Amino acid sequence: STTSALVDELKRVNAENKKLTEMLTLMCDNYNVLKNQLM
Amino acid sequence: MDCSSFLDISLDLNTNPFDRNFPDKLPKKEVKVSTSADLERKWLVKDEGDEQSGSELREELNRVNAENKKLKEMLATVCENYYALHSHLEKLQSRQSEQTELPTKKRKQDTDELLGFPIGLGSGKTENSSSNEDHHHHHHQHEQKNQLLSCKRPVVTDSFNKAKVSTVLVPADSSDTSLTVKDGYQWRKYGQKVTRDNPSPRAYFRCSFAPSCPVKKKVQRSAEDPSLLVATYEGTHNHLGPNAFEGDATSQAGSTNTVTLDLVHGGGHRLALEKNERGTMQDVLVKQMASLLTNDSKFTASLAAAISGRLLEQSRT
């Protein structure tokens, strides 16, 4: 049960990481768009 | 106008292998971060009683947690930089719109003179008339003038004056029924109603600077996910928020955090974070991030999630 709990937690954090990575990519894109507007 | 002279617009994430001087080279597509999905599967099929498995699993969990933390910090830095750039852009836009308004007023005055109407009639000034006939005459002139002006009035081409609509998703306690979204601005609630598509009511707010500031906000709990509040903003604030950064955006960019992320060594990220005025910046960041959003719905969603990430991080520490 400890292992399965760890796996569950790992899954959760991995999913969060994936989401954060996507958001970061998105933010970088948005930043670049804004920067191009200013240039 | 060369805006780069006013504001350092590099993201300054100092991330390798991306060149910090060229944020254009930042990943356009999803950043590949090593996941432990394979490991999860591996451990799922393994014997649960295996102690070695457990320790490796914990190690992996620690690694992923550390990566998670780094990602959050990076995201916060990007948000800060984005915010600084956005406020700078807004300043430029408002300056530009002021410049376009001045010739319009001049044109209106010229039209008054050209049509032989007294200056100031159309600008809200009232004239004391000694007789009803005069008053009637002026009223007739006023109507005539308005008709002419409505024909001559140029189409507003200033895109900045168009009402911008943006949506923000903000996590909220399900027990909280106040429908309050803290975004750094002050709002006056002027209505609430129940909509067909959602069991939760929708609250309507005006910016406290109304009527000079046209921004309105609608807040409603998400029908799909009741743990989220959906805030819809209409218009752009023509003023800074009460907790806005003081001074020029340039100075903010200069005091932003520096994040160093090594993606090459050790198979993981090594992050060195130097923070200046971290507490202040974080505080302002949380309050301000939600208030300055673009029309990009993807961004608004991601920014809301970033805020939630920061809040979670703060609550853990």
Side-chain angles (χ1 to χ4, degrees), chain B residues 75-299:
Chain B
L75 193 59
T77 309
V78 177
C79 285
E80 282 173 20
N81 284 304
Y82 183 92
Y83 167 74
L85 199 58
H86 191 274
S87 56
H88 183 68
L89 186 63
E90 275 195 337
K91 274 182 191 171
L92 288 175
Q93 286 175 345
S94 61
R95 211 177 295 164
Q96 196 173 339
S97 62
E98 278 170 19
Q99 282 171 358
T100 53
E101 274 172 18
L102 281 173
T104 311
K105 282 179 184 172
K106 180 81 170 64
R107 260 204 312 276
K108 196 176 173 185
Q109 190 177 325
D110 289 347
T111 315
D112 278 346
E113 287 165 5
L114 188 71
L115 296 172
F117 298 123
I119 295 169
L121 188 65
S123 58
K125 288 182 184 173
T126 54
E127 292 189 352
N128 291 327
S129 181
S130 56
S131 69
N132 286 337
E133 194 180 333
D134 279 353
H135 179 75
H136 189 73
H137 179 64
H138 280 301
H139 181 69
H140 181 66
Q141 274 192 338
H142 185 69
E143 277 184 353
Q144 198 179 8
K145 186 201 72 136
N146 278 343
Q147 281 172 4
L148 285 163
L149 283 177
S150 65
C151 297
K152 290 174 178 288
R153 192 171 292 145
V155 176
V156 177
T157 52
D158 185 4
S159 60
F160 306 125
N161 290 335
K162 288 177 186 170
K164 291 178 182 174
V165 179
S166 57
T167 309
V168 190
L169 296 172
V170 184
D173 193 350
S174 54
S175 60
D176 183 10
T177 55
S178 64
L179 294 174
T180 305
V181 174
K182 289 180 182 173
D183 50 23
Y185 288 93
Q186 291 188 349
W187 301 90
R188 281 200 207 107
K189 189 176 175 182
Y190 67 94
Q192 181 165 312
K193 75 171 184 184
V194 178
T195 54
R196 283 183 193 174
D197 55 337
N198 196 327
S200 304
R202 182 191 293 157
Y204 294 84
F205 299 88
R206 271 194 200 98
C207 179
S208 60
F209 282 79
S212 65
C213 179
V215 183
K216 289 180 179 176
K217 177 171 82 165
K218 291 183 279 190
V219 183
Q220 189 171 30
R221 202 167 279 281
S222 169
E224 290 80 25
D225 185 357
S227 66
L228 293 174
L229 287 176
V230 182
T232 307
Y233 294 85
E234 286 178 30
T236 309
H237 290 282
N238 52 16
H239 57 92
L240 289 173
N243 299 316
F245 287 114
E246 294 295 333
D248 198 300
T250 316
S251 59
Q252 297 151 24
S255 64
T256 50
N257 304 332
T258 306
V259 179
T260 309
L261 178 63
D262 191 344
L263 293 165
V264 181
H265 298 103
H269 305 320
R270 187 170 64 79
L271 186 81
L273 192 66
E274 295 167 13
K275 292 184 179 294
N276 297 325
E277 301 168 2
R278 181 188 171 109
T280 316
M281 291 298 285
Q282 280 185 344
D283 196 24
V284 174
L285 174 70
V286 171
K287 287 176 183 170
Q288 289 293 311
M289 263 196 291
S291 66
L292 290 162
L293 299 165
T294 63
N295 289 327
D296 189 342
S297 58
K298 287 193 296 182
F299 167 66

Side-chain angles (χ1 to χ4, degrees), chain A residues 1-4 6-7 9-14 16-32 34-39, chain B residues 3 9-11 23-24 27-29 31 33 36 40 48 57 61 64-65 67-68 72 74-75 78 82 85-86 89 92 296 298-299 302 305-306:
Chain A
S1 61
T2 313
T3 309
S4 68
L6 281 171
V7 170
E9 177 65 5
L10 199 56
K11 271 185 187 177
R12 191 192 64 75
V13 181
N14 262 328
E16 199 176 319
N17 271 13
K18 194 183 170 197
K19 199 176 170 185
L20 282 166
T21 308
E22 286 170 355
M23 282 162 56
L24 193 58
T25 309
L26 200 63
M27 279 300 301
C28 288
D29 287 346
N30 282 317
Y31 181 90
N32 285 329
L34 205 60
K35 195 197 75 179
N36 289 335
Q37 264 184 282
L38 271 167
M39 296 303 273
Chain B
C3 302
I9 52 176
S10 70
L11 265 177
D24 279 336
K28 297 289 179 194
K29 301 294 174 193
V31 181
V33 174
S36 51
E40 286 168 17
E48 289 186 359
L57 209 50
L61 189 59
V64 178
N65 268 325
E67 195 172 288
N68 187 291
K72 280 177 184 170
M74 283 177 72
L75 193 59
V78 177
Y82 183 92
L85 199 58
H86 191 274
L89 186 63
L92 288 175
D296 189 342
K298 287 193 296 182
F299 167 66
S302 64

